[in-house]
Amino acid sequence: MIKYKDTRWMYLVIPYNTSIGPLSTLVTLQILSLGGNAIDVAYAISLSNAVLIPASIIWGFLADKMDRKKQILLSLAGVSIPLIVMPFMKSISLITLNYALITFMSTASTTPFNLLIMESAEKKHWGSLFSRFSLFSSIGVLLGLVVSTFLVILLRIDQIEEILGFSVLATLIASVKILPKPIITFERAAIIHNKESFLTRMRHLPMMFLHLPNIHHFKMFSVSRLFRKPINYIPLLYLGIVLFYISSGIFNTVYPAGLYVKGLNKSEVLAVISVGMIFQILGFRISSTLLENKDEKGLAYISLILRGVSYVLLGIFAQLFLGIPILISGLIFYPLAAGIAYAVFYSSSTTLIFKIVGERRQGTGLGVYSTVVGISLFVGSLLSGYITHYISYGIDFIVAGIILLIASWIFRYLEEG
């Protein structure tokens, strides 16, 4: 029997996301503090993005076979231990490898948490539960960023990471008692049969392999098909999303480093990222309403323009100024780009993907989507280090913005068959 009222375990995602939410920014600042440069940061983020592909495959398949509770507990243990030993990571290489391990282990809990929601309620209640789960996750990330903003004034970054590790360990101990044992078994395929569950799952990890794609599944990207209506709708939709994630990799990988190099202290860097997270939470609230009344392609087009223009303006400021102007521009344009624009584009584009996989071969569609997203993030994050190191942070941000403006043209051109 499904116990709808017993959902206390969902509160566990708040301290868990508090611990892992600020980690990418903290690792960036930690690498810079050790004398690293943009390329070192890019290598760390790129390796983390690369790990997501095998991690999502491995843990996704295990989620169909393992006890949900055991996999979540394993994930929490696998995240807490690397965080606790961060003070012993004295080189950039060790930090990079440790961060990749944390990424791999944190991925293990994504699918089980989502499936656990589905096991805790009747289908008619899934929407409200997934909405609450997303809210708790966002609150956790925001809380982690805010706490880190103040702790970084008093402590070394590796000490903050150690504290976050003990927070995950405390969550693990609480999970042993609070997490329910699975009552029924859901396959991952069940997630894509419900819009709310699908959107929440993809928001936390934009990769989901029901089965591995082969080379023939990528024939949709052939040049001849890209220019023939209406069969070019799907490849163009994927291409627009690919450009979005390449741009995100280029910008997000080095933006915290750019703030630091351009004169902001560690606390100010974390404060800018925190404000962006606040607006992202608001953005997801707004996007849910917009999607009920507006066309998804139109919303994606507008959000890409807003995000692209914001990136370009951040790049111009980074090229021309240091210190206070960088802080002010970050507090204005970064929330627009990473908050409002990201939330609206993510919700609208993922809804479009949901419609495709809901109608066609689901395993193939999600496999191709997950693969291109993973490769795009990896390529973008890797490129960012070299663009920044050999040219400048400002040009890196501007390039990311131009790519988004190209993607916006693709979404404007989209015509569904």
Side-chain angles (χ1 to χ4, degrees), residues 62-349:
L62 285 175
D64 290 335
K65 303 179 182 300
M66 282 185 68
D67 183 310
R68 308 277 184 261
K69 181 174 182 177
K70 290 179 180 178
Q71 188 165 332
I72 292 172
L73 294 177
L74 179 62
S75 177
L76 293 174
V79 171
S80 64
I81 295 172
L83 279 173
I84 290 172
V85 302
M86 266 296 192
F88 300 99
M89 305 292 108
K90 299 300 183 182
S91 70
I92 293 174
S93 299
L94 288 175
I95 292 171
T96 299
L97 292 173
N98 208 32
Y99 180 50
L101 175 60
I102 293 170
T103 300
F104 181 83
M105 294 306 302
S106 66
T107 305
S109 64
T110 303
T111 298
F113 266 133
N114 283 266
L115 291 171
L116 197 56
I117 293 173
M118 299 168 73
E119 295 172 356
S120 300
E122 297 175 3
K123 188 171 183 178
K124 63 181 179 180
H125 298 298
W126 284 0
S128 61
L129 243 64
F130 275 107
S131 177
R132 195 197 312 175
F133 180 80
S134 294
L135 177 62
F136 287 172
S137 299
S138 299
I139 290 173
V141 173
L142 178 59
L143 185 60
L145 287 166
V146 172
V147 170
S148 298
T149 299
F150 292 100
L151 286 180
V152 79
I153 301 173
L154 306 171
L155 303 171
R156 298 194 316 270
I157 291 177
D158 58 357
Q159 292 174 324
I160 297 174
E161 291 165 339
E162 185 179 18
I163 292 172
L164 296 178
F166 281 110
S167 174
V168 178
L169 185 60
T171 306
L172 168 63
I173 296 171
S175 299
V176 173
K177 181 175 179 61
I178 297 176
L179 278 177
K181 291 185 177 180
I183 302 167
I184 56 178
T185 300
F186 273 97
E187 298 296 323
R188 285 170 300 141
I191 292 179
I192 62 177
H193 294 297
N194 180 272
K195 183 177 180 180
E196 289 80 6
S197 62
F198 178 80
L199 293 177
T200 302
R201 169 59 176 77
M202 300 308 283
R203 179 181 171 187
H204 288 87
L205 181 65
M207 297 184 190
M208 185 178 181
F209 294 85
L210 293 181
H211 63 71
L212 296 179
N214 60 53
I215 192 66
H216 300 291
H217 297 152
F218 294 89
K219 287 182 178 179
M220 70 172 75
F221 298 109
S222 63
V223 175
S224 61
R225 186 169 180 176
L226 281 173
F227 296 98
R228 291 171 57 194
K229 291 185 177 182
I231 62 172
N232 64 353
Y233 172 77
I234 294 177
L236 282 178
L237 173 61
Y238 275 76
L239 181 60
I241 292 172
V242 164
L243 292 176
F244 171 81
Y245 280 105
I246 289 176
S247 171
S248 297
I250 290 174
F251 181 86
N252 292 333
T253 298
V254 295
Y255 183 63
L259 292 174
Y260 186 71
V261 170
K262 289 294 177 177
L264 274 60
N265 61 41
K266 296 172 184 176
S267 182
E268 290 169 336
V269 172
L270 285 160
V272 171
I273 305 301
S274 299
V275 173
M277 187 62 204
I278 292 172
F279 275 80
Q280 187 179 116
I281 295 172
L282 295 174
F284 277 112
R285 292 297 173 188
I286 295 170
S287 62
S288 61
T289 302
L290 290 175
L291 284 171
E292 294 179 1
N293 305 308
K294 303 291 183 180
D295 174 60
E296 293 95 347
K297 295 188 293 292
L299 288 174
Y301 166 69
I302 293 171
S303 63
L304 285 170
I305 290 179
L306 176 59
R307 188 171 168 96
V309 170
S310 297
Y311 279 5
V312 170
L313 291 173
L314 287 169
I316 293 172
F317 270 85
Q319 279 293 105
L320 300 177
F321 303 105
L322 293 169
I324 296 299
I326 299 297
L327 176 61
I328 295 174
S329 63
L331 290 173
I332 295 174
F333 299 115
Y334 181 70
L336 290 177
I340 303 299
Y342 172 80
V344 173
F345 176 81
Y346 185 87
S347 299
S348 56
S349 63

Side-chain angles (χ1 to χ4, degrees), residues 352-392:
L352 292 171
I353 292 293
F354 173 82
K355 291 180 177 179
I356 291 175
V357 301
E359 297 170 358
R360 296 169 174 82
R361 289 182 297 171
Q362 297 162 344
T364 298
L366 286 175
V368 172
Y369 176 81
S370 298
T371 301
V372 297
V373 166
I375 293 174
S376 301
L377 284 171
F378 175 76
V379 170
S381 57
L382 196 60
L383 284 174
S384 66
Y386 289 98
I387 295 173
T388 300
H389 184 75
Y390 290 106
I391 306 177
S392 67

